[in-house]
Amino acid sequence: MKHLLKCTAALGVLSLAIGTAQAQVNTVGEDERSHLAGGLFDAESASWNMVLEHNVPPIDAFFDERALFAPAQFMAAMRAAREAEERGEDAAPPAFTPLALANTDFAFQGDHVIMGNYHGFLIYNVAGDAPELVTAVVCPGGQGDVSVYGDLLFLSVEHNRARLDCGSEAAEGEVNPDRFRGIRIFDISDITAPRQIAAVQTCRGSHTHTLLPDPNDENILYVYNSGTQPVRSGDELEFCSDGQPGENPETSLYSIDIIRVPLDAPETAELIDSPRIFADRETGEIAGLWQGGQLGIASQRTSQTNHCHDITVYPELGIAGGACSGNGILLDITDPANPSRISELFDPDMAYWHSATFNNEGDVVVFTDEWGGGTAPRCRAEDPANWGANLIATIEGNVLRGQTFYKLPSTQGSSENCVAHNGSLVPVPGRDIMVQSWYQGGISVMDFTDPRNPFEIAYFDRGPVDPDNLVVAGYWSSYWYNGRIYASEIARGLDVLRLEAGEHLSGAELAAAEAVIEAEVNPQTQTRIVWEDSAVVAQAYLDQLARGEAVEAGLLERAGTEVSRWADGRMNRGNLRRLSRDLASAAAETEGRDGARLTALGELLGRVAG
Amino acid sequence: MIAVSTLLALAMAVTADGPPILQPGAPGEPTREISAERSRALSQTRHTAADTRFMQHMIVHHQQAVDMVALIEGRTSNPSIIAIGGRIARSQDDEIALMRDWLIRRGEAQEADDLHEHHGAGGHDHHHAHHGHHASDDPDDVPLMTGMLSVNQMRALAAAEGGEFDRLFLEGMIHHHEGALIMVDELLEHPGAAEDIIMSDFTGHIVADQMAEILRMQNLLRDLPPAEEREAEPHSHHHHHHH
């Protein structure tokens, strides 16, 4: 063990204290979600505090049952094809790959929900009662991570077979001039007729990307690109080279890519830098973070930190959270072209740091661990409750500190791929709430207002696509957008869900969240949520204060009366002003989140009272 | 709370009127309209004969790691060996299941037809384990494929105990894992190999996982109490040529 401790110290590893109550809980229990009947489009479902409003199944061009299953007749066809080939006849066997038509990540703009797909992207208009598919673009290449900025749509491409022209046939061979792996840019000024206008090649393709507007120049947009694939041949792309930094200091490993997009000429977008954000601060060694392997005998096998899987930026705060394979990192992005690492976190229970989501204050970040890569069942009874989970970290004085884990609190079957995946904040004022995908584990809504004691407040889940075999399916991303949850089911299409008020979410809290309307949302580019001064927002704070005991009952009752009057159109400005002052005094004597709620409520009432 | 959703029961992939299916051109080129059938055809990824053979061989290769772990019980009480053995067996078992599933779903046989007539024959065009390293003519000294232990090496492992077992186990398993990395390298030399999405993810995972375990085992090996001088290195595996 000695060398392990030494190794920990040398790397400056911040390992999570295993002393919390959460760490004692080693397994997850069963509930009604654990044994739902399976089926592709007729699975049993279970929900709590949320309702499925719409399922928009895939269209023919983006659905092939043979890609999900391998039915017996297909296997027979394969055999026949092979026999034909042996007889010297021409018979190319069809090949089907799960995920080839998988729905993936989202971007949102106005009435449009843009859903990425391994095969291209789909745009739905959600202004009416039910979502309507308005655009279907075929452009194979995976994973189809999408972002939108004005008239531009960005698409991540990573597969070797992808072509510059969106693929008439796969680009073959180790070197191929038609191959494209990187970021595609489409002009969507006519949203029903996207045109590809640029394609920026990168050395490890593009697994995910994140948009970051230049804070000082509104004509410049940066794209942080995270490539996770092996390095491309230098014969294909001259600036690429492979190898460990000891042998090759120019290696294309151990960096992220920064693409600069001039908005007045987006076709000239180019890769400007691949900064060494994992370098050791003192020695400058390029491979400065986790080198892969286990910290201890009972630890996860944690991947090597030579790339980020995903980066979430919070431009207003000048910070970014990087989920970078073997580490979670915090970046200073005040100069977007020169991000620099300010903190890093390692944890022996994290196998693969996958994504990051800040709370609205920007002092808590939820990292996900995609243990098993998303195609494996990792929510079974025997899977540890802190593996493949969320790691909730705080940011104190620019230092990331792990606090506890949250895992889907329901065991799932071995035919259900399940692990922590993409989510976003539900904009309830005064609380930190996140809706999140767990693949075939369904959707779980987590309250992490207390970063040491997260708990579930709502869920939706279906049974497995196939009860007997693991078919890769389930929710890739679940994000809140303008009052609804949009969820991309890999196999089953676009789902729209609505949260319901209940024991864990009051009517006012829900109404306050539903009232937040954004013009454009890319979930990995977080913007500060701002609530309008309204009676429901005030009532939401009051509902939260009433759950605790930090505030004197008399004051709460008075506030309840005045906020009700306001809601009923009988606002008493004098009373509100006095109330505002009393709330501010109470806030000064109240610690923690309730203190912040009192402050926010007092200021809100002060503003409306004038 | 449980309810069969009638909404979903009714929902099936639809052919109803929808927007046209668009396929963009290269940057600056126009977008064109294609049929749903064409779109589906574009989604298909071929897997190659090399992919299939890789999966078939890797199953055999992984199975030996599981067999090696099965020898731990009764031969060593070193908790580090027991722990890493348990982990290796579990991950190799999972991967074997994944590989079998991959083959079944593509209508391919789970066993390669070229492995069992291997000894002495030149059937393998891409496994060089028997070239150069093994002077003996005894087929039991020839490993089935890169990184695998020969029958005689497995016998030596089964006959060992305590510290000797620990050392042979770690050396053998490191060798075994290095072999898997070489097999991935060799696969990727084939044109069009590992384009299949699952295949491509899987080979990526093999590389990451095996490298991590190799690191861990090298640490354990370094920490073993010094062994008495042995006559010869039983596993002569330090000379693989990477491509």
Side-chain angles (χ1 to χ4, degrees):
Chain A
M1 289 300 286
K2 200 170 56 190
H3 69 277
L4 290 175
L5 293 172
K6 207 164 62 199
C7 152
T8 309
L11 282 166
V13 162
L14 272 170
S15 124
L16 187 64
I18 310 288
T20 62
Q22 192 76 7
Q24 313 287 321
V25 183
N26 292 319
T27 52
V28 163
E30 290 189 1
D31 67 10
E32 63 168 357
R33 286 170 281 182
S34 302
H35 301 286
L36 296 169
L40 177 57
F41 290 116
D42 56 358
E44 193 178 16
S45 66
S47 63
W48 178 56
N49 294 335
M50 65 195 294
V51 177
L52 178 68
E53 282 193 332
H54 301 288
N55 166 255
V56 189
I59 55 169
D60 273 357
F62 280 74
F63 183 82
D64 195 331
E65 209 165 310
R66 295 168 302 179
L68 279 176
F69 307 103
Q73 59 268 41
F74 166 62
M75 287 168 62
M78 287 283 287
R79 273 192 297 276
R82 200 165 47 238
E83 282 161 20
E85 208 166 338
E86 278 162 14
R87 289 193 301 272
E89 294 166 21
D90 224 10
F96 301 100
T97 303
L99 286 176
L101 293 158
N103 295 312
T104 60
D105 212 22
F106 285 112
F108 306 91
Q109 186 183 63
D111 290 333
H112 293 116
V113 171
I114 303 163
M115 182 165 73
N117 186 291
Y118 271 66
H119 197 45
F121 57 91
L122 299 154
I123 305 179
Y124 298 84
N125 186 311
V126 294
D129 282 345
E132 183 197 356
L133 180 68
V134 292
T135 310
V137 171
V138 172
C139 192
Q143 308 188 104
D145 197 35
V146 280
S147 297
V148 65
Y149 196 84
D151 285 341
L152 301 178
L153 184 147
F154 299 81
L155 185 71
S156 279
V157 181
E158 69 177 6
H159 291 152
N160 223 25
R161 66 186 296 253
R163 294 171 55 100
L164 266 173
D165 63 359
C166 291
S168 310
E169 54 193 71
E172 290 184 351
E174 201 195 343
V175 174
N176 188 316
D178 295 326
R179 176 168 294 138
F180 177 73
R181 304 170 75 181
I183 302 272
R184 296 187 197 273
I185 306 177
F186 294 89
D187 178 334
I188 54 162
S189 47
D190 176 351
I191 200 137
T192 64
R195 281 185 311 116
Q196 188 173 203
I197 56 166
V200 182
Q201 302 264 19
T202 61
C203 290
R204 300 180 73 184
S206 177
H207 195 69
T208 69
H209 68 268
T210 304
L211 304 186
L212 178 56
D214 190 308
N216 304 313
D217 184 349
E218 61 183 27
N219 185 45
I220 299 299
L221 176 71
Y222 293 97
V223 183
Y224 284 179
N225 177 58
S226 298
T228 61
Q229 295 289 305
V231 177
R232 295 167 70 177
S233 166
D235 295 336
E236 185 171 272
L237 205 55
E238 32 121 17
F239 56 88
C240 303
S241 68
D242 202 355
Q244 290 300 313
E247 303 153 359
N248 173 18
E250 303 300 314
T251 181
S252 306
L253 301 173
Y254 299 94
S255 59
I256 58 167
D257 300 312
I258 302 181
I259 293 164
R260 187 174 180 273
V261 186
L263 294 170
D264 57 0
E267 66 282 358
T268 64
E270 59 176 351
L271 181 67
I272 55 162
D273 197 11
S274 297
R276 300 298 190 185
I277 60 170
F278 311 126
D280 186 287
R281 281 190 201 84
E282 278 151 34
T283 65
E285 193 187 326
I286 291 166
L289 296 180
W290 185 249
Q291 279 304 292
Q294 287 172 291
L295 181 68
I297 290 165
S299 303
Q300 265 287 15
R301 287 174 296 154
T302 307
S303 300
Q304 186 185 64
T305 306
N306 64 38
H307 64 268
C308 289
H309 175 275
D310 212 336
I311 296 172
T312 295
V313 295
Y314 199 150
E316 281 164 89
L317 301 180
I319 56 172
C324 303
S325 186
N327 293 88
I329 66 173
L330 191 64
L331 295 168
D332 177 334
I333 55 162
T334 45
D335 177 1
N338 292 293
S340 70
R341 193 178 82 248
I342 48 182
S343 183
E344 61 271 347
L345 193 56
F346 172 85
D347 191 278
D349 290 315
M350 296 287 278
Y352 188 74
W353 297 70
H354 169 275
S355 61
T357 305
F358 290 101
N359 68 346
N360 198 43
E361 289 300 308
D363 58 3
V364 177
V365 55
V366 177
F367 288 104
T368 58
D369 175 14
E370 198 184 39
W371 172 37
T375 56
R378 289 292 184 251
C379 304
R380 300 162 302 180
E382 64 265 38
D383 296 322
N386 51 353
W387 285 19
N390 296 339
L391 183 154
I392 301 174
T394 52
I395 304 168
E396 298 160 42
N398 280 339
V399 176
L400 286 168
R401 287 187 203 286
Q403 298 297 336
T404 193
F405 293 98
Y406 172 91
K407 189 169 184 178
L408 182 80
S410 165
T411 57
Q412 300 285 298
S414 56
S415 63
E416 292 172 287
N417 52 314
C418 177
V419 75
H421 215 235
N422 298 338
S424 73
L425 296 183
V426 177
V428 173
R431 290 170 71 180
D432 295 332
I433 295 176
M434 176 172 164
V435 56
Q436 185 182 9
S437 282
W438 292 79
Y439 289 105
Q440 289 202 71
I443 299 169
S444 176
V445 182
M446 167 185 78
D447 180 310
F448 64 107
T449 309
D450 175 353
R452 286 182 156 268
N453 292 294
F455 59 97
E456 185 173 56
I457 62 167
Y459 61 70
F460 177 80
D461 184 28
R462 291 191 184 95
V465 166
D466 180 343
D468 303 319
N469 297 293
L470 193 152
V471 169
V472 178
Y475 291 109
W476 185 283
S477 294
S478 301
Y479 298 129
W480 180 274
Y481 178 63
N482 293 350
R484 292 293 180 270
I485 292 161
Y486 293 90
S488 45
E489 223 287 356
I490 288 173
R492 290 150 165 158
L494 171 69
D495 284 347
V496 187
L497 301 103
R498 178 167 50 80
L499 275 186
E500 290 194 314
E503 179 195 354
H504 295 295
L505 190 69
S506 73
E509 288 177 306
L510 180 57
E514 289 183 346
V516 174
I517 301 297
E518 308 280 354
E520 196 169 78
V521 169
N522 294 295
Q524 282 71 44
T525 304
Q526 275 188 248
T527 49
R528 191 187 285 278
I529 303 160
V530 181
W531 292 269
E532 285 190 14
D533 291 341
S534 68
V536 286
V537 172
Q539 187 61 49
Y541 289 126
L542 281 177
D543 292 343
Q544 290 159 13
L545 292 166
R547 287 191 192 105
E549 281 158 14
V551 186
E552 187 197 323
L555 179 61
L556 266 187
E557 198 177 322
R558 232 179 91 206
T561 306
E562 295 307 323
V563 169
S564 296
R565 282 169 180 268
W566 174 20
D568 294 343
R570 299 181 290 119
M571 181 196 284
N572 182 323
R573 288 177 192 277
N575 285 356
L576 278 183
R577 270 193 290 271
R578 277 188 295 279
L579 178 60
S580 169
R581 282 194 295 272
D582 294 344
L583 288 166
S585 313
E589 291 159 16
T590 309
E591 290 191 334
R593 211 55 192 250
D594 274 342
R597 288 169 183 142
L598 285 166
T599 302
L601 179 60
E603 288 174 357
L604 190 171
L605 297 180
R607 283 191 299 270
V608 298
Chain B
M1 293 291 182
I2 301 183
V4 176
S5 165
T6 49
L7 192 68
L8 293 179
L10 293 173
M12 296 296 288
V14 284
T15 24
D17 298 333
I21 310 302
L22 305 175
Q23 185 186 22
E29 299 294 319
T31 297
R32 51 199 173 273
E33 197 177 322
I34 59 171
S35 68
E37 291 68 37
R38 178 82 185 123
S39 165
R40 286 149 58 109
L42 282 168
S43 79
Q44 294 171 15
T45 326
R46 290 189 195 301
H47 67 278
T48 65
D51 290 338
T52 301
R53 204 170 49 220
F54 172 86
M55 289 303 214
Q56 291 165 337
H57 287 187
M58 195 59 92
I59 288 173
V60 178
H61 186 269
H62 273 37
Q63 186 56 49
Q64 191 182 59
V66 176
D67 295 345
M68 288 169 71
V69 171
L71 292 175
I72 288 176
E73 199 176 338
R75 289 179 178 80
T76 181
S77 52
N78 183 333
S80 305
I81 300 290
I82 294 168
I84 192 148
R87 281 192 180 278
I88 289 172
R90 236 170 296 144
S91 69
Q92 305 264 313
D93 269 343
D94 280 357
E95 290 182 0
I96 288 172
L98 186 149
M99 291 188 282
R100 289 198 188 286
D101 184 63
W102 187 94
L103 290 164
I104 291 168
R105 280 165 192 271
R106 284 156 187 76
E108 299 286 2
Q110 293 186 50
E111 285 184 26
D113 44 20
D114 61 349
L115 271 181
H116 297 293
E117 62 225 42
H118 165 71
H119 283 196
H124 271 264
D125 60 342
H126 68 299
H127 290 152
H128 316 289
H130 52 300
H131 298 311
H133 302 322
H134 301 272
S136 163
D137 288 333
D138 182 352
D140 284 357
D141 275 340
V142 182
L144 202 51
M145 64 184 75
T146 307
M148 283 183 72
L149 302 191
S150 69
V151 173
N152 281 338
Q153 285 171 320
M154 282 298 279
R155 285 183 188 135
L157 183 64
E161 292 192 331
E164 169 74 0
F165 177 86
D166 295 350
R167 183 169 305 278
L168 285 179
F169 178 84
L170 290 172
E171 287 174 350
M173 195 64 88
I174 290 170
H175 173 53
H176 176 274
H177 277 27
E178 286 170 346
L181 300 181
I182 292 170
M183 285 167 73
V184 172
D185 271 1
E186 289 175 344
L187 168 71
L188 296 178
E189 284 178 8
H190 288 267
E195 275 186 5
D196 176 289
I197 295 163
I198 294 282
M199 180 85 196
S200 154
D201 279 0
F202 177 64
T203 50
H205 276 138
I206 286 187
V207 172
D209 290 356
Q210 312 262 315
M211 279 175 69
E213 282 178 2
I214 288 170
L215 270 173
R216 168 81 186 127
M217 289 190 288
Q218 282 168 340
N219 283 340
L220 288 177
L221 195 56
R222 213 172 47 220
D223 282 3
L224 284 183
E228 286 156 39
E229 233 16 74
R230 274 169 293 137
E231 277 177 27
E233 187 70 18
H235 303 298
S236 54
H237 51 254
H238 302 298
H239 322 286
H240 297 297
H241 27 263
H242 269 274
H243 304 275

